[in-house]
Structure formats: structure tokens, C-alpha cells
Amino acid sequence: VTDIMGYTPVITFLNEAFSSKDFNILKEYDVDIFGFFEVQIQNVIEKYYLLFNKTICLDEILYKESILMTGHAIMDNLKYHHVNNEFEYVEFKRKNPLGKFDKISIPKEYFGKDIISIQPLANPFYSEKLINGLLNEGITGLEIKYESSIKLNFV
């Protein structure tokens, strides 16, 4: 049992369970928490929460400034793709179900937020400030990935 745990969601956008300790820390940062649900874990006394925070939906992504990719570097078959709008993105995903964003662009109004969740992405972006704060408080279960992460662009 860790402070942050993955959760196989039944409810869209609720994909991590946060301990009381972590939940209280998040309240001190620029995180748009719209709601939360207490969850009970069998044989665990501490309270955990599923948080519903602001999620940037497909219609807010700036597709012309974003880059999609298919293939894998290991297979030496990476290809980069551009789409102009949400409709073209949906069509791209229909034809390329394993395709993903290499760079995703969003409105600059989200710059400075400590957690940024974007609808088509599995995991949210955490700010360096929040990551450092969580690590300094000894939060467990935080997986930090830089090398394989999607580039986030504010336009």
C-alpha cells in the first residue's frame, strides 16, 4: 500500500487513489479538484480518495501545434503525423489505435497548474514544484518518467 496507487477505473478520469496524507498536500498546490470520493481498501485503516480534477477535453487540444506518432524507436519505424482538428484526431486514432502524442499543445491558460490531466492521455502531468513537494514529504508510489514522456506545449 502506497500514498498514490493506480486504480482500474469504472469512472472515467478517476485513475489514481490518493492517501489522506497525499490528498492534504495536494490541497496546498494549484490543483483544480472538482470533487473527491472516499474509497475503502480492505484491511487498510487509512482513508484513500479518488479525485476528480479538471480534465482538458479533446475539443481544447490545439491539434495544429501538436505532433502524433506511430511505430517504435526500437523497431526503427517511428513516423510523425499532424492533424488539424478533433475530427482528424479521432479518425487518426481509428486508423492507428496504437498511435499517440509525441507533443501535445494546450492553451497557455493552463500554464502553472500543478496537475494537468488531458483526456486522451493515460496519466496526468505533474509540475516539478509538486513532484519536489511530494518527494520532500515522503509520498510513496510516485512514478516519475522523463525520457518516455510526452512533450507538453502551451500556446
Side-chain angles (χ1 to χ4, degrees):
V1 177
T2 62
D3 291 306
I4 303 172
M5 296 188 293
Y7 164 74
T8 304
V10 174
I11 304 169
T12 307
F13 307 121
L14 299 175
N15 56 3
E16 293 175 314
F18 298 90
S19 69
S20 298
K21 177 182 174 183
D22 191 23
F23 181 47
N24 289 327
I25 293 169
L26 290 176
K27 291 178 187 176
E28 298 174 19
Y29 287 85
D30 191 3
V31 178
D32 295 325
I33 299 173
F34 290 159
F36 58 91
F37 307 92
E38 185 178 328
V39 293
Q40 294 181 346
I41 302 172
Q42 189 172 6
N43 300 322
V44 175
I45 296 171
E46 186 173 4
K47 291 181 181 180
Y48 278 79
Y49 300 90
L50 298 176
L51 306 181
F52 181 71
N53 57 304
K54 165 70 175 150
T55 298
I56 298 168
C57 295
L58 290 177
D59 62 349
E60 290 184 83
I61 296 170
L62 303 171
Y63 294 96
K64 289 181 181 181
E65 307 293 330
S66 300
I67 300 172
L68 296 154
M69 65 183 205
T70 55
H72 299 279
I74 277 185
M75 303 293 288
D76 196 30
N77 66 349
L78 273 180
K79 290 184 183 177
Y80 295 94
H81 308 268
H82 295 273
V83 296
N84 292 309
N85 53 48
E86 180 182 350
F87 175 78
E88 288 181 15
Y89 171 72
V90 170
E91 186 65 16
F92 170 83
K93 285 299 286 180
R94 188 184 67 74
K95 292 179 181 175
N96 303 281
L98 298 178
K100 59 185 180 180
F101 282 97
D102 176 58
K103 177 177 87 171
I104 191 163
S105 298
I106 59 174
K108 61 184 167 187
E109 70 189 69
Y110 294 106
F111 184 79
K113 295 289 182 187
D114 290 310
I115 295 181
I116 297 175
S117 298
I118 307 174
Q119 185 178 355
L121 305 182
N123 296 307
F125 291 93
Y126 283 34
S127 70
E128 288 291 324
K129 179 176 74 174
L130 177 58
I131 290 169
N132 290 334
L134 294 172
L135 292 174
N136 288 339
E137 292 293 330
I139 294 298
T140 58
L142 183 63
E143 292 184 35
I144 304 167
K145 298 178 185 175
Y146 291 109
E147 295 181 19
S148 63
S149 65
I150 296 166
K151 297 168 200 79
L152 180 59
N153 186 39
F154 299 93
V155 179

